[in-house]
Amino acid sequence: MPVKVANAPVSFGVFELSDAPPPLGPDAMVRALAEAGYEGIDSGPIGYLGTGSALADRLSGHGLLLAGGWVDLRYGDAEAYARGLPALEAALEVFTAAPSAPEGFAPRPTLACSGSPERFARPGGIVPGLAAGEWPAYAARVQEAADRCRERGLEPAFHHHLGTYVETPEDVERLLELTDVKLCLDTGHLLLAGGDPVTALRDWAARVDHVHIKDGDTKIQAAALADGADLRELMGRGGFAPLGEGELDLPGVVRVLGEIGYSGWLVIEQDTLPGRRTVEQNIADQAANRRKLKELGL
């Protein structure tokens, strides 16, 4: 199956440009991922890797492609959603300036929900999400955002995520019913939301167009919830473990990707917080994560 493997700034604790200075600068990160055998990188916060020719030169200089990047929008609030659209347009400008990619590997705009405060405080499918009557408007805004991406020649994928209104397998099913948007299936977020990534890949095969490979540790999650920790603290405690150290059936995921004929980007992520792990630990983890997939033939 034709796939390329990327990593992402979140694996190094880079979430916001306001995290200054970042735990690892963009040149050092790009160099480390290229040396570890990755073929691409997610954008992280727009501007972190640069924009325009600076982005293209930085990635091309290390033989990396831009796999995509997330854009948060408040789909549940019409006014907040409208205020966020310029950020979507800015992200699409960055993606269209990325180095030229082979067919099927153009950057994926990863549409993400800005979150539910209640679910962010209790992540993992515990807190109810949208009421039935709220879904049509929510989904219509997701559809509009997806159509905006397509107008720019980019195919988006929606990222289900802990702490948001599309967190559980049931939430994902409802969104897929109400839109034609493709899915970014994140194995770690699905696992910690009570889902089975292997089953989900089979069930949603026709809609999966982007994959984030992430492990999860439900024991760390349970302890964090017992302590009243929120999603951010769960990440800081290592809820998203290095590949092979959590409960993800990674061989099963790889096997099913082959069975369904998946082609496209596989983005390894290991969400962590700035300062919780050393730069050296993060670099070593992502090199080890890449080796794990190579051992499985990817």
Side-chain angles (χ1 to χ4, degrees):
M1 63 184 160
V3 301
K4 292 184 183 296
V5 181
N7 205 290
V10 294
S11 299
F12 299 84
V14 177
F15 286 88
E16 304 289 343
L17 289 180
S18 58
D19 294 332
L24 187 64
D27 289 317
M29 184 182 298
V30 166
R31 185 183 313 111
L33 293 179
E35 291 174 353
Y38 288 95
E39 297 164 282
I41 184 172
D42 227 40
S43 69
I46 298 300
Y48 168 72
L49 293 176
T51 59
S53 61
L55 169 69
D57 291 346
R58 174 170 281 130
L59 298 188
S60 297
H62 292 278
L64 294 183
L65 298 173
L66 186 66
W70 81 84
V71 182
D72 285 345
L73 291 169
R74 295 191 178 278
Y75 301 104
D77 181 321
E79 292 184 1
Y81 167 76
R83 289 195 300 271
L85 288 175
L88 173 62
E89 295 298 331
L92 297 179
E93 287 288 341
V94 170
F95 298 154
T96 55
S100 179
E103 183 177 356
F105 294 97
R108 284 283 187 268
T110 310
L111 303 179
C113 175
S114 295
S116 155
E118 297 81 12
R119 281 184 159 182
F120 190 92
R122 301 286 293 166
I126 299 167
V127 178
L130 292 172
E134 296 176 298
W135 269 105
Y138 184 98
R141 294 181 194 111
V142 173
Q143 185 68 59
E144 180 191 350
D147 291 342
R148 283 174 175 264
C149 296
R150 291 166 178 159
E151 289 168 3
R152 299 293 297 274
L154 296 168
E155 184 62 32
F158 189 91
H159 189 326
H160 59 95
H161 199 288
L162 288 181
T164 75
Y165 294 114
V166 185
E167 181 180 56
T168 69
E170 293 76 21
D171 298 330
V172 176
E173 292 277 6
R174 188 68 177 132
L175 185 75
L176 294 179
E177 289 171 3
L178 293 173
T179 70
D180 69 4
V181 70
K182 299 292 187 179
L183 182 67
C184 171
L185 192 144
D186 187 300
T187 60
H189 281 282
L190 193 68
L191 177 66
L192 295 189
D196 178 352
V198 172
T199 299
L201 277 170
R202 288 198 181 99
D203 291 348
W204 301 332
R207 299 288 288 275
V208 173
D209 199 43
H210 202 53
V211 176
H212 286 183
I213 300 289
K214 185 186 283 118
D215 211 334
D217 190 321
T218 59
K219 296 183 293 299
I220 291 176
Q221 180 187 28
L225 290 170
D227 292 343
D230 63 11
L231 176 57
R232 183 175 176 84
E233 178 61 18
L234 172 61
M235 291 189 294
R237 293 187 183 191
F240 295 115
L243 294 182
E245 295 185 18
E247 292 145 52
L248 177 67
D249 179 5
L250 183 60
V253 165
V254 171
R255 182 177 64 252
V256 174
L257 287 171
E259 291 173 1
I260 68 174
Y262 176 80
S263 62
W265 283 107
L266 300 177
V267 184
I268 294 176
E269 291 185 333
Q270 188 186 332
D271 299 7
T272 188
L273 296 185
R276 293 297 183 95
R277 299 173 65 78
T278 68
V279 169
E280 292 75 17
Q281 286 174 316
N282 287 330
I283 290 174
D285 276 350
Q286 301 326 306
N289 286 339
R290 183 66 190 96
R291 289 194 296 272
K292 287 284 185 184
L293 278 193
K294 285 183 178 178
E295 291 167 2
L296 293 170
L298 295 176

Short mmCIF file of all heavy atoms in Angstrom, two decimals, residues 10-11 53 60 107 125 158 170 189 193 201 203 208 212 215 222 237 262 277 281 285:
data_model
loop_
_atom_site.label_atom_id
_atom_site.label_comp_id
_atom_site.label_asym_id
_atom_site.label_seq_id
_atom_site.Cartn_x
_atom_site.Cartn_y
_atom_site.Cartn_z
N VAL A 10 3.41 18.45 17.76
CA VAL A 10 2.81 18.13 19.07
C VAL A 10 3.60 17.05 19.80
O VAL A 10 3.56 16.97 21.04
CB VAL A 10 1.33 17.70 18.93
CG1 VAL A 10 0.47 18.84 18.44
CG2 VAL A 10 1.20 16.46 18.05
N SER A 11 4.34 16.23 19.07
CA SER A 11 5.17 15.20 19.70
C SER A 11 6.32 15.80 20.50
O SER A 11 6.97 15.10 21.28
CB SER A 11 5.74 14.25 18.64
OG SER A 11 4.71 13.59 17.92
N SER A 53 7.72 30.88 0.90
CA SER A 53 8.98 30.28 0.46
C SER A 53 9.83 29.81 1.64
O SER A 53 10.61 28.86 1.51
CB SER A 53 9.78 31.30 -0.37
OG SER A 53 10.07 32.46 0.38
N SER A 60 12.03 21.43 2.03
CA SER A 60 12.76 20.87 0.89
C SER A 60 14.23 20.65 1.21
O SER A 60 14.84 19.68 0.73
CB SER A 60 12.63 21.80 -0.32
OG SER A 60 11.29 21.91 -0.73
N PRO A 107 -0.87 18.29 1.21
CA PRO A 107 -1.20 18.53 2.62
C PRO A 107 -2.70 18.39 2.87
O PRO A 107 -3.52 18.87 2.09
CB PRO A 107 -0.74 19.97 2.85
CG PRO A 107 0.25 20.24 1.78
CD PRO A 107 -0.19 19.45 0.59
N GLY A 125 -15.27 10.25 26.69
CA GLY A 125 -16.60 9.73 26.47
C GLY A 125 -17.46 9.68 27.71
O GLY A 125 -18.43 8.92 27.77
N PHE A 158 -11.69 15.51 8.76
CA PHE A 158 -12.12 15.96 10.08
C PHE A 158 -11.47 15.09 11.15
O PHE A 158 -11.50 13.86 11.08
CB PHE A 158 -13.64 15.89 10.22
CG PHE A 158 -14.12 16.54 11.50
CD1 PHE A 158 -14.46 17.87 11.53
CD2 PHE A 158 -14.20 15.81 12.68
CE1 PHE A 158 -14.87 18.48 12.71
CE2 PHE A 158 -14.61 16.40 13.86
CZ PHE A 158 -14.95 17.74 13.88
N GLU A 170 -19.69 7.14 18.58
CA GLU A 170 -21.06 7.54 18.22
C GLU A 170 -21.08 8.94 17.63
O GLU A 170 -21.82 9.22 16.68
CB GLU A 170 -21.96 7.45 19.45
CG GLU A 170 -22.20 6.04 19.98
CD GLU A 170 -21.01 5.48 20.75
OE1 GLU A 170 -20.15 6.29 21.21
OE2 GLU A 170 -20.91 4.24 20.88
N HIS A 189 -6.75 8.99 20.20
CA HIS A 189 -7.93 9.68 20.69
C HIS A 189 -9.15 8.76 20.69
O HIS A 189 -9.98 8.81 21.60
CB HIS A 189 -8.20 10.94 19.86
CG HIS A 189 -7.32 12.08 20.22
ND1 HIS A 189 -7.53 12.86 21.34
CD2 HIS A 189 -6.19 12.56 19.65
CE1 HIS A 189 -6.60 13.78 21.42
NE2 HIS A 189 -5.76 13.62 20.41
N ALA A 193 -11.28 7.34 24.00
CA ALA A 193 -12.70 7.69 24.02
C ALA A 193 -13.58 6.46 24.02
O ALA A 193 -14.79 6.55 23.82
CB ALA A 193 -13.04 8.58 22.83
N LEU A 201 -11.34 1.33 11.73
CA LEU A 201 -10.73 1.38 10.40
C LEU A 201 -11.53 0.54 9.41
O LEU A 201 -11.72 0.95 8.26
CB LEU A 201 -9.29 0.88 10.46
CG LEU A 201 -8.24 1.90 10.89
CD1 LEU A 201 -6.90 1.21 11.13
CD2 LEU A 201 -8.08 3.00 9.83
N ASP A 203 -14.82 -0.32 9.75
CA ASP A 203 -16.17 0.21 9.61
C ASP A 203 -16.22 1.50 8.80
O ASP A 203 -17.19 1.76 8.07
CB ASP A 203 -16.78 0.46 10.99
CG ASP A 203 -17.08 -0.83 11.74
OD1 ASP A 203 -17.04 -1.91 11.12
OD2 ASP A 203 -17.37 -0.74 12.95
N VAL A 208 -12.12 7.07 5.60
CA VAL A 208 -10.81 7.38 6.20
C VAL A 208 -9.86 7.84 5.10
O VAL A 208 -9.55 7.10 4.17
CB VAL A 208 -10.23 6.16 6.94
CG1 VAL A 208 -8.81 6.46 7.41
CG2 VAL A 208 -11.11 5.79 8.13
N HIS A 212 -3.80 9.37 11.94
CA HIS A 212 -2.84 9.71 12.99
C HIS A 212 -2.60 8.46 13.83
O HIS A 212 -3.54 7.91 14.41
CB HIS A 212 -3.36 10.83 13.88
CG HIS A 212 -3.35 12.18 13.23
ND1 HIS A 212 -3.72 13.34 13.89
CD2 HIS A 212 -2.97 12.56 11.97
CE1 HIS A 212 -3.59 14.36 13.06
NE2 HIS A 212 -3.15 13.92 11.90
N ASP A 215 -0.56 6.02 20.35
CA ASP A 215 -0.88 5.02 21.37
C ASP A 215 -1.57 5.72 22.53
O ASP A 215 -1.52 6.95 22.67
CB ASP A 215 0.39 4.31 21.83
CG ASP A 215 0.14 2.87 22.26
OD1 ASP A 215 -1.01 2.57 22.68
OD2 ASP A 215 1.08 2.06 22.20
N ALA A 222 -7.27 6.79 33.60
CA ALA A 222 -8.13 6.57 34.76
C ALA A 222 -7.59 7.28 36.00
O ALA A 222 -8.36 7.88 36.77
CB ALA A 222 -8.26 5.07 35.02
N ARG A 237 0.86 13.93 31.59
CA ARG A 237 1.18 12.73 32.37
C ARG A 237 1.56 11.53 31.50
O ARG A 237 1.86 10.47 32.02
CB ARG A 237 0.00 12.35 33.25
CG ARG A 237 -0.31 13.35 34.35
CD ARG A 237 -1.38 12.82 35.27
NE ARG A 237 -1.74 13.77 36.30
CZ ARG A 237 -2.50 13.48 37.36
NH1 ARG A 237 -2.97 12.23 37.51
NH2 ARG A 237 -2.79 14.40 38.25
N TYR A 262 -5.59 1.17 2.29
CA TYR A 262 -5.36 2.58 2.60
C TYR A 262 -4.10 3.08 1.91
O TYR A 262 -3.07 2.42 1.90
CB TYR A 262 -5.20 2.78 4.12
CG TYR A 262 -4.86 4.21 4.47
CD1 TYR A 262 -5.86 5.18 4.52
CD2 TYR A 262 -3.55 4.60 4.73
CE1 TYR A 262 -5.55 6.51 4.82
CE2 TYR A 262 -3.23 5.93 5.03
CZ TYR A 262 -4.24 6.87 5.07
OH TYR A 262 -3.92 8.18 5.36
N ARG A 277 9.01 16.62 29.21
CA ARG A 277 10.06 15.70 28.81
C ARG A 277 11.17 16.52 28.18
O ARG A 277 10.93 17.58 27.61
CB ARG A 277 9.53 14.66 27.81
CG ARG A 277 8.42 13.79 28.35
CD ARG A 277 7.83 12.89 27.28
NE ARG A 277 8.78 11.91 26.78
CZ ARG A 277 9.12 10.80 27.42
NH1 ARG A 277 8.60 10.52 28.60
NH2 ARG A 277 9.99 9.95 26.90
N GLN A 281 14.70 13.36 25.09
CA GLN A 281 13.73 12.26 25.22
C GLN A 281 12.73 12.27 24.08
O GLN A 281 12.40 11.21 23.52
CB GLN A 281 12.99 12.40 26.56
CG GLN A 281 13.80 12.01 27.77
CD GLN A 281 13.06 12.29 29.07
OE1 GLN A 281 12.44 13.35 29.24
NE2 GLN A 281 13.10 11.36 29.99
N ASP A 285 12.19 9.31 21.44
CA ASP A 285 10.88 8.67 21.31
C ASP A 285 10.42 8.62 19.86
O ASP A 285 9.91 7.59 19.39
CB ASP A 285 9.84 9.42 22.13
CG ASP A 285 9.81 9.01 23.59
OD1 ASP A 285 10.46 8.01 23.94
OD2 ASP A 285 9.12 9.69 24.38
#
